[in-house]
Amino acid sequence: MEKNYSSSTADFILLGISSNPHLQKPLFAVFFIMYLITLVGNGLIILAIHSDSRLHTPMYFFLSNLSFMDICFTTVIVPKMLVNLLSETKSISYVGCLVQMYFFMAFANTDSYLLASMAVDRLVAICNPFHYDVVMSPQRCLLLLLGSCTISHLHSMLRVLLMSRLSFCASHVIKHFFCDTQPVLKLSCSDTSSSQIVVMTETLAVIATPFLCILFSYPRIIVTVLKIPSVAGKWKAFSTCGSHLTVVVFFYGSVIYVYFRPLSMYSVVKDRAATVMYTIVTPMLNPFIYSLRNKDMKRGLRKLRDRIHS
């Protein structure tokens, strides 16, 4: 008799990064250290920005919120993954799976919109500096943040409502380390063709919009920077954008690879590797990317260190 796992009493099994029992403890150690670095690094960025009045600018306002979102969306995934690495059951409830999916997508999409907001900030700062204070006023920055959060949560709500209508009859083993859309769709015994079309269309709209905003911003930024007569001026302008572009490439490169393909092309191993990149590696690297080549952030971090020592 066919069993339906779509009820709130059923559990899914998260296969995890690897099913090799000898790799569970080494993987736990690696990802635990990466998670700690993510928490500490992004936490320091937030504290440094809030403690230094010279960093109270639109760019660092968005950066501090990006760091906060990175902490949130890695926390949605990594602690459960770490527990499962040391557990024999590796289970997650049906409701828990949908909740994890909801908050992961909400925080990850907010990240995407914040990256677009930072691109707009750089566009205005470099191409229209005399109107920068008016265009990027604190009120407009706050509206951009609230709009990013609202759109992202509505997107997540629609996605989870679609997933909650599916039935899961045969296997309930998710071949992933968290409840992501594609591996969960693979388990459904319902007709997922309409869900796939809605998911692809809606994901394209939500993720492509900030990505296109970034793509349209940088050609104008590059053209304007090339017109700057001094080499020092060009270097300063490019250095403020280099960190942002690096994060954009890491984040969107792996996101596009994972989500913008038909379900028939889904590959467990390759998608898990790409997902680790944007869910764990990129949030861990962000504090280093934004601080190593940024004199203002270095000064803010030194000021924070001196304050802690005193």
Side-chain angles (χ1 to χ4, degrees):
M1 183 175 177
E2 195 176 59
K3 187 175 180 180
N4 190 322
Y5 283 95
S6 64
S7 70
S8 59
T9 58
D11 286 352
F12 287 115
I13 304 298
L14 290 167
L15 199 60
I17 296 288
S18 172
S19 56
N20 187 335
H22 301 295
L23 291 177
Q24 302 303 298
K25 288 183 179 178
L27 285 172
F28 175 88
V30 169
F31 286 110
F32 180 69
I33 291 168
M34 292 174 74
Y35 181 55
L36 285 181
I37 293 171
T38 301
L39 294 181
V40 173
N42 284 288
L44 287 174
I45 291 289
I46 294 168
L47 289 173
I49 290 171
H50 284 274
S51 63
D52 189 346
S53 59
R54 286 175 292 186
L55 297 178
H56 293 175
T57 63
M59 182 175 74
Y60 294 109
F61 169 77
F62 291 124
L63 178 55
S64 64
N65 281 286
L66 182 71
S67 292
F68 178 70
M69 291 300 159
D70 282 344
I71 289 172
C72 289
F73 96 84
T74 52
T75 300
V76 169
I77 297 170
V78 179
K80 179 62 178 174
M81 182 185 74
L82 293 174
V83 170
N84 286 348
L85 282 168
L86 299 181
S87 171
E88 292 184 4
T89 57
K90 304 182 188 302
S91 64
I92 184 169
S93 68
Y94 174 75
V95 173
C97 186
L98 292 181
V99 169
Q100 186 184 57
M101 189 182 293
Y102 174 88
F103 283 106
F104 164 72
M105 287 188 293
F107 293 135
N109 286 326
T110 304
D111 247 23
S112 177
Y113 277 94
L114 286 174
L115 287 171
S117 299
M118 292 171 79
V120 171
D121 173 77
R122 292 299 84 204
L123 175 68
V124 177
I126 293 171
C127 301
N128 198 6
F130 297 111
H131 295 93
Y132 180 74
D133 291 336
V134 176
V135 176
M136 300 303 294
S137 64
Q139 293 81 5
R140 286 183 180 175
C141 290
L142 184 59
L143 282 175
L144 279 171
L145 174 63
L146 293 175
S148 301
C149 294
T150 302
I151 293 170
S152 300
H153 280 273
L154 288 174
H155 163 79
S156 298
M157 192 179 298
L158 174 61
R159 182 73 65 85
V160 169
L161 284 173
L162 282 172
M163 300 301 290
S164 67
R165 295 166 63 90
L166 301 177
S167 296
F168 302 91
C169 311
S171 173
H172 60 295
V173 178
I174 299 173
K175 295 179 180 179
H176 215 324
F177 57 91
F178 73 102
C179 290
D180 202 4
T181 308
Q182 298 285 51
V184 174
L185 273 175
K186 282 286 244 185
L187 297 182
S188 178
C189 56
S190 305
D191 179 13
T192 61
S193 55
S194 58
S195 295
Q196 286 183 59
I197 293 170
V198 173
V199 165
M200 286 288 286
T201 306
E202 193 247 351
T203 299
L204 185 66
V206 171
I207 295 180
T209 301
F211 183 59
L212 289 173
C213 180
I214 294 168
L215 283 183
F216 288 137
S217 296
Y218 269 98
R220 288 191 61 191
I221 290 171
I222 292 168
V223 169
T224 304
V225 170
L226 291 175
K227 292 178 181 178
I228 298 174
S230 68
V231 176
K234 287 178 182 177
W235 173 250
K236 183 179 179 182
F238 274 128
S239 65
T240 60
C241 300
S243 302
H244 179 253
L245 267 177
T246 304
V247 173
V248 166
V249 170
F250 277 133
F251 183 83
Y252 278 104
S254 49
V255 166
I256 289 169
Y257 176 81
V258 172
Y259 294 106
F260 289 92
R261 290 179 301 150
L263 194 61
S264 57
M265 294 178 64
Y266 176 73
S267 166
V268 175
V269 177
K270 290 180 180 179
D271 282 42
R272 264 188 292 201
T275 307
V276 165
M277 175 60 71
Y278 80 87
T279 58
I280 300 173
V281 176
T282 301
M284 181 189 71
L285 293 179
N286 280 357
F288 299 100
I289 293 169
Y290 280 109
S291 61
L292 289 177
R293 293 178 59 192
N294 189 315
K295 292 180 180 178
D296 293 333
M297 274 308 310
K298 285 180 180 178
R299 186 181 61 240
L301 288 168
R302 282 196 297 268
K303 186 175 178 181
L304 178 64
R305 181 197 62 194
D306 295 340
R307 182 173 293 184
I308 292 170
H309 286 167
S310 62

Coordinates of all heavy atoms in Angstrom, one line a residue, residues 163-204:
M163 N 5.2 23.7 -2.2 CA 5.8 22.4 -1.8 C 4.8 21.7 -0.8 O 4.8 20.5 -0.8 CB 7.1 22.7 -1.1 CG 8.2 23.4 -1.9 SD 8.6 22.4 -3.4 CE 9.5 21.1 -2.7
S164 N 4.0 22.4 -0.1 CA 3.1 21.8 0.9 C 2.0 21.1 0.3 O 1.3 20.3 0.9 CB 2.6 22.9 1.9 OG 1.8 23.8 1.2
R165 N 1.7 21.4 -1.0 CA 0.6 20.7 -1.7 C 1.1 19.4 -2.4 O 0.2 18.7 -2.9 CB 0.1 21.7 -2.8 CG -0.5 22.9 -2.3 CD -0.7 24.0 -3.4 NE -1.6 23.5 -4.4 CZ -2.9 23.7 -4.4 NH1 -3.5 24.3 -3.4 NH2 -3.7 23.3 -5.4
L166 N 2.4 19.1 -2.3 CA 2.9 17.9 -2.9 C 2.7 16.7 -2.0 O 2.7 16.8 -0.8 CB 4.3 18.0 -3.3 CG 4.7 19.2 -4.3 CD1 6.2 19.3 -4.5 CD2 4.0 19.0 -5.6
S167 N 2.7 15.5 -2.6 CA 2.6 14.2 -1.9 C 4.0 13.5 -2.0 O 4.6 13.6 -3.1 CB 1.5 13.3 -2.3 OG 0.3 13.9 -2.1
F168 N 4.4 12.8 -1.0 CA 5.7 12.1 -1.0 C 5.3 10.6 -0.6 O 5.0 10.4 0.5 CB 6.7 12.7 0.0 CG 6.9 14.2 -0.3 CD1 6.2 15.2 0.2 CD2 7.9 14.5 -1.2 CE1 6.4 16.5 0.0 CE2 8.2 15.8 -1.6 CZ 7.4 16.8 -1.0
C169 N 5.4 9.7 -1.6 CA 4.9 8.4 -1.4 C 5.9 7.3 -1.2 O 5.7 6.4 -0.4 CB 4.0 8.0 -2.6 SG 2.8 9.3 -3.0
A170 N 6.9 7.3 -2.0 CA 7.9 6.2 -2.0 C 9.1 6.5 -1.1 O 9.0 6.3 0.1 CB 8.4 5.9 -3.4
S171 N 10.1 7.1 -1.6 CA 11.3 7.4 -0.8 C 11.1 8.7 0.0 O 10.4 9.6 -0.5 CB 12.5 7.6 -1.7 OG 13.6 8.0 -1.0
H172 N 11.6 8.8 1.2 CA 11.6 10.0 1.9 C 13.0 10.4 2.3 O 13.2 11.1 3.3 CB 10.7 10.0 3.1 CG 11.0 8.9 4.1 ND1 11.0 7.6 3.8 CD2 11.5 9.0 5.4 CE1 11.4 6.9 4.9 NE2 11.7 7.7 5.8
V173 N 14.0 10.0 1.5 CA 15.4 10.3 1.7 C 15.8 11.5 0.8 O 15.8 11.3 -0.4 CB 16.3 9.1 1.4 CG1 17.8 9.5 1.6 CG2 15.9 7.9 2.3
I174 N 16.1 12.6 1.4 CA 16.5 13.8 0.7 C 18.0 13.7 0.4 O 18.8 13.7 1.4 CB 16.2 15.1 1.4 CG1 14.7 15.2 1.6 CG2 16.7 16.3 0.7 CD1 14.2 16.3 2.5
K175 N 18.4 13.6 -0.8 CA 19.8 13.5 -1.1 C 20.5 14.9 -1.1 O 21.1 15.3 -2.1 CB 20.0 12.8 -2.5 CG 19.5 11.4 -2.5 CD 19.6 10.7 -3.9 CE 19.1 9.3 -3.9 NZ 19.2 8.7 -5.2
H176 N 20.5 15.4 0.1 CA 21.1 16.8 0.2 C 21.4 16.9 1.7 O 21.0 16.1 2.5 CB 20.2 17.8 -0.3 CG 20.9 19.0 -0.9 ND1 22.1 19.5 -0.4 CD2 20.5 19.8 -1.9 CE1 22.4 20.5 -1.1 NE2 21.5 20.8 -2.1
F177 N 22.0 18.1 2.1 CA 22.3 18.3 3.5 C 21.3 19.2 4.2 O 21.4 19.6 5.3 CB 23.8 18.7 3.7 CG 24.2 20.0 3.0 CD1 24.0 21.3 3.6 CD2 24.7 19.9 1.7 CE1 24.4 22.4 2.9 CE2 25.1 21.1 1.0 CZ 24.9 22.3 1.6
F178 N 20.4 19.7 3.4 CA 19.3 20.5 3.9 C 18.1 20.5 3.0 O 18.2 19.9 1.9 CB 19.7 22.0 4.2 CG 19.8 22.8 2.9 CD1 18.8 23.7 2.6 CD2 21.0 22.7 2.2 CE1 19.0 24.5 1.4 CE2 21.1 23.5 1.0 CZ 20.1 24.4 0.7
C179 N 16.9 21.0 3.4 CA 15.7 20.9 2.6 C 15.7 22.0 1.5 O 15.2 23.1 1.7 CB 14.5 21.0 3.5 SG 14.2 19.6 4.5
D180 N 16.3 21.7 0.4 CA 16.3 22.6 -0.8 C 15.2 22.2 -1.8 O 14.7 21.0 -1.7 CB 17.6 22.6 -1.4 CG 17.9 23.9 -2.2 OD1 17.0 24.8 -2.2 OD2 18.9 24.0 -2.9
T181 N 14.8 23.1 -2.6 CA 13.7 22.8 -3.5 C 13.9 21.6 -4.4 O 13.0 20.7 -4.5 CB 13.4 24.1 -4.4 OG1 13.3 25.2 -3.5 CG2 12.1 23.9 -5.2
Q182 N 14.9 21.6 -5.2 CA 15.1 20.6 -6.2 C 15.2 19.2 -5.6 O 14.5 18.3 -6.1 CB 16.4 20.9 -7.0 CG 16.4 22.2 -7.8 CD 15.5 22.2 -9.0 OE1 14.4 21.8 -8.9 NE2 16.1 22.6 -10.1
P183 N 16.0 18.9 -4.6 CA 16.0 17.5 -4.1 C 14.7 17.1 -3.5 O 14.3 15.9 -3.5 CB 17.1 17.5 -3.0 CG 17.4 19.0 -2.7 CD 17.0 19.7 -4.0
V184 N 13.9 18.0 -2.9 CA 12.6 17.7 -2.3 C 11.6 17.4 -3.5 O 10.8 16.5 -3.4 CB 12.1 18.8 -1.4 CG1 10.7 18.5 -0.9 CG2 13.0 18.9 -0.2
L185 N 11.7 18.2 -4.5 CA 10.8 18.0 -5.7 C 11.0 16.6 -6.3 O 10.1 15.9 -6.8 CB 11.0 19.1 -6.7 CG 10.2 20.3 -6.6 CD1 10.7 21.3 -7.7 CD2 8.7 20.1 -6.8
K186 N 12.3 16.2 -6.3 CA 12.6 14.9 -6.9 C 11.9 13.7 -6.1 O 11.7 12.6 -6.7 CB 14.2 14.6 -6.8 CG 15.0 15.4 -7.8 CD 14.8 14.7 -9.2 CE 16.1 14.2 -9.7 NZ 16.0 13.6 -11.0
L187 N 11.6 13.9 -4.9 CA 11.0 12.8 -4.1 C 9.5 12.7 -4.3 O 8.8 11.7 -3.9 CB 11.2 13.1 -2.6 CG 12.7 13.0 -2.1 CD1 12.7 13.2 -0.6 CD2 13.3 11.7 -2.5
S188 N 8.8 13.8 -4.8 CA 7.4 13.8 -4.9 C 6.8 12.9 -5.9 O 7.4 12.7 -7.0 CB 6.9 15.3 -5.2 OG 5.5 15.3 -5.3
C189 N 5.7 12.2 -5.5 CA 5.0 11.3 -6.4 C 3.8 12.1 -7.1 O 3.1 11.5 -7.9 CB 4.5 10.1 -5.7 SG 3.4 10.5 -4.3
S190 N 3.7 13.4 -6.8 CA 2.7 14.2 -7.5 C 3.2 14.6 -8.8 O 4.4 14.5 -9.1 CB 2.4 15.4 -6.6 OG 2.0 15.1 -5.3
D191 N 2.4 15.2 -9.6 CA 2.8 15.7 -10.9 C 3.4 17.1 -10.6 O 2.7 18.0 -10.2 CB 1.6 15.9 -11.8 CG 2.0 16.6 -13.2 OD1 3.2 16.6 -13.5 OD2 1.1 17.0 -13.9
T192 N 4.7 17.2 -10.8 CA 5.5 18.4 -10.4 C 5.7 19.3 -11.6 O 6.4 20.3 -11.4 CB 6.8 18.0 -9.7 OG1 7.6 17.3 -10.7 CG2 6.6 17.2 -8.5
S193 N 5.2 19.0 -12.7 CA 5.5 19.8 -13.9 C 5.0 21.3 -13.7 O 5.8 22.2 -14.0 CB 4.8 19.2 -15.2 OG 3.4 19.0 -15.0
S194 N 3.8 21.4 -13.2 CA 3.3 22.8 -13.0 C 4.1 23.5 -11.9 O 4.4 24.7 -12.0 CB 1.8 22.8 -12.7 OG 1.6 22.0 -11.5
S195 N 4.4 22.8 -10.9 CA 5.3 23.4 -9.8 C 6.6 23.8 -10.3 O 7.1 24.8 -9.9 CB 5.4 22.3 -8.6 OG 4.2 22.1 -8.0
Q196 N 7.2 22.9 -11.2 CA 8.5 23.3 -11.7 C 8.5 24.5 -12.6 O 9.3 25.4 -12.5 CB 9.0 22.1 -12.6 CG 9.5 20.9 -11.8 CD 10.1 19.9 -12.8 OE1 11.0 20.1 -13.5 NE2 9.5 18.7 -12.7
I197 N 7.4 24.7 -13.4 CA 7.2 25.9 -14.2 C 7.1 27.1 -13.3 O 7.7 28.2 -13.6 CB 6.0 25.7 -15.1 CG1 6.3 24.6 -16.2 CG2 5.7 27.1 -15.8 CD1 5.0 24.2 -17.0
V198 N 6.2 27.0 -12.3 CA 6.1 28.2 -11.4 C 7.3 28.5 -10.7 O 7.7 29.7 -10.6 CB 4.9 27.9 -10.4 CG1 4.8 29.0 -9.3 CG2 3.6 27.7 -11.1
V199 N 8.0 27.5 -10.2 CA 9.3 27.7 -9.4 C 10.3 28.3 -10.3 O 11.0 29.3 -9.9 CB 9.8 26.3 -8.9 CG1 11.3 26.4 -8.4 CG2 9.0 25.9 -7.7
M200 N 10.5 27.8 -11.6 CA 11.5 28.4 -12.5 C 11.2 29.8 -12.8 O 12.0 30.7 -12.8 CB 11.6 27.5 -13.7 CG 12.3 26.2 -13.6 SD 14.1 26.3 -13.3 CE 14.6 26.8 -15.0
T201 N 9.9 30.1 -13.1 CA 9.5 31.4 -13.6 C 9.6 32.4 -12.4 O 10.2 33.5 -12.6 CB 8.0 31.4 -14.0 OG1 7.8 30.4 -15.0 CG2 7.6 32.8 -14.5
E202 N 9.1 32.0 -11.3 CA 9.2 32.9 -10.1 C 10.6 33.1 -9.6 O 11.0 34.2 -9.2 CB 8.3 32.3 -9.0 CG 8.0 33.2 -7.9 CD 8.6 32.7 -6.6 OE1 9.2 31.6 -6.6 OE2 8.6 33.5 -5.6
T203 N 11.4 32.0 -9.6 CA 12.8 32.2 -9.3 C 13.6 33.1 -10.2 O 14.4 33.9 -9.8 CB 13.5 30.8 -9.2 OG1 12.8 29.9 -8.3 CG2 15.0 30.9 -8.8
L204 N 13.3 32.9 -11.5 CA 13.9 33.8 -12.5 C 13.6 35.2 -12.2 O 14.5 36.1 -12.3 CB 13.4 33.4 -13.9 CG 14.0 34.1 -15.1 CD1 15.5 33.7 -15.2 CD2 13.3 33.8 -16.4

